[in-house]
C-alpha cells in the first residue's frame, strides 16, 4: 500500500473478494459497541464501498485471509481543513490483538496513506467512556476539538 507503512499494520484495501472476511468483523464491532444494525443495513453500507464508491474505503488489518480487524474511512470536504477530509467511521481490532500497539501502527499507516491522497484531516468519533481507545487515539496525535462535538440526525 505504501512503503512507509509499519510492517505490523499490514493494511490491505478491501474489495469484493474480502467480503467474507469483512462481514464478521463488522458484525462483531457493531455487537460490541451496541450499534443496532441489521444484516441488510450492513450490506447496504458495505457493498457500494467494496464496489468502488469514491465515498470511502475499507482496510483489513493484518493477513488478508485472517484479518485482525478493519478500518472504514469515509470522505468529505472541509473548508476549515482546506479540501478533502477523512473520517474514521469505524475501527475494530479483535480483542486478542488489543493492547499491543497495533492500533497506533494502523492509525499511523492510515494517516500516511490519507495524507498522500491529499486529505487535510482525519477525524474520528469515540465513546467518552472508552478510556483505552481515547488513550490510544491521544498517543496517535488525535485531540478533542474543544467546544465542538458531533451531532447526528437520521434522515430516513
Amino acid at each position: 500500500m505504501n512503503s512507509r507503512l509499519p510492517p505490523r499494520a499490514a493494511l490491505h484495501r478491501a474489495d469484493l473478494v474480502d467480503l467474507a472476511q469483512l462481514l464478521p468483523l463488522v458484525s462483531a464491532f457493531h455487537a460490541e459497541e451496541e450499534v443496532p444494525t441489521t444484516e441488510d443495513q450492513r450490506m447496504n453500507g458495505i457493498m457500494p464501498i467494496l464496489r468502488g464508491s469514491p465515498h470511502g474505503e475499507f482496510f483489513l488489518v493484518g493477513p488478508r485471509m485472517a484479518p485482525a480487524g478493519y478500518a472504514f474511512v469515509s470522505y468529505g470536504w472541509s473548508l476549515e481543513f482546506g479540501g478533502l477530509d477523512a473520517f474514521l467511521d469505524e475501527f475494530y481490532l479483535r480483542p486478542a490483538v488489543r493492547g499491543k500497539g497495533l492500533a497506533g501502527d494502523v492509525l499511523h499507516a492510515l494517516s500516511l496513506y490519507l495524507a498522500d491522497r491529499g486529505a487535510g484531516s482525519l477525524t474520528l468519533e469515540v465513546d467518552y467512556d472508552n478510556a483505552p481507545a481515547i488513550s490510544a487515539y491521544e498517543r496517535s496525535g488525535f485531540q478533542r476539538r474543544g467546544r465542538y462535538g458531533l451531532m447526528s440526525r437520521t434522515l430516513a
Side-chain angles (χ1 to χ4, degrees):
M1 188 172 167
N2 181 323
S3 61
R4 297 187 294 168
L5 296 183
R8 290 189 320 154
L11 294 181
H12 307 279
R13 188 171 182 273
D15 57 31
L16 284 171
V17 193
D18 302 303
L19 182 62
Q21 284 74 33
L22 183 60
L23 275 176
L25 294 169
V26 173
S27 295
F29 175 71
H30 289 188
E32 184 176 311
E33 292 295 316
E34 298 178 2
V35 177
T37 57
T38 65
E39 184 176 341
D40 284 345
Q41 287 172 313
R42 288 189 296 274
M43 290 298 288
N44 288 340
I46 292 169
M47 292 308 291
I49 300 301
L50 293 183
R51 287 187 176 120
S53 168
H55 298 294
E57 296 179 85
F58 278 100
F59 300 91
L60 295 176
V61 178
R64 195 167 197 159
M65 294 309 296
Y70 77 97
F72 172 66
V73 176
S74 64
Y75 297 111
W77 200 259
S78 170
L79 297 179
E80 178 182 354
F81 292 108
L84 183 67
D85 69 340
F87 187 87
L88 183 56
D89 188 55
E90 295 190 4
F91 180 31
Y92 175 77
L93 294 175
R94 294 182 192 272
V97 301
R98 295 178 192 166
K100 300 174 181 164
L102 183 58
D105 287 352
V106 170
L107 294 168
H108 178 72
L110 280 174
S111 296
L112 292 174
Y113 174 78
L114 295 166
D116 285 349
R117 289 202 65 207
S121 69
L122 175 57
T123 302
L124 56 81
E125 177 181 26
V126 63
D127 186 323
Y128 292 121
D129 295 331
N130 192 341
I134 291 170
S135 180
Y137 295 141
E138 287 175 342
R139 282 192 309 275
S140 293
F142 288 85
Q143 300 172 359
R144 293 180 195 246
R145 298 271 327 264
R147 66 179 201 240
Y148 299 104
L150 294 173
M151 296 176 70
S152 298
R153 176 181 174 186
T154 302
L155 300 177

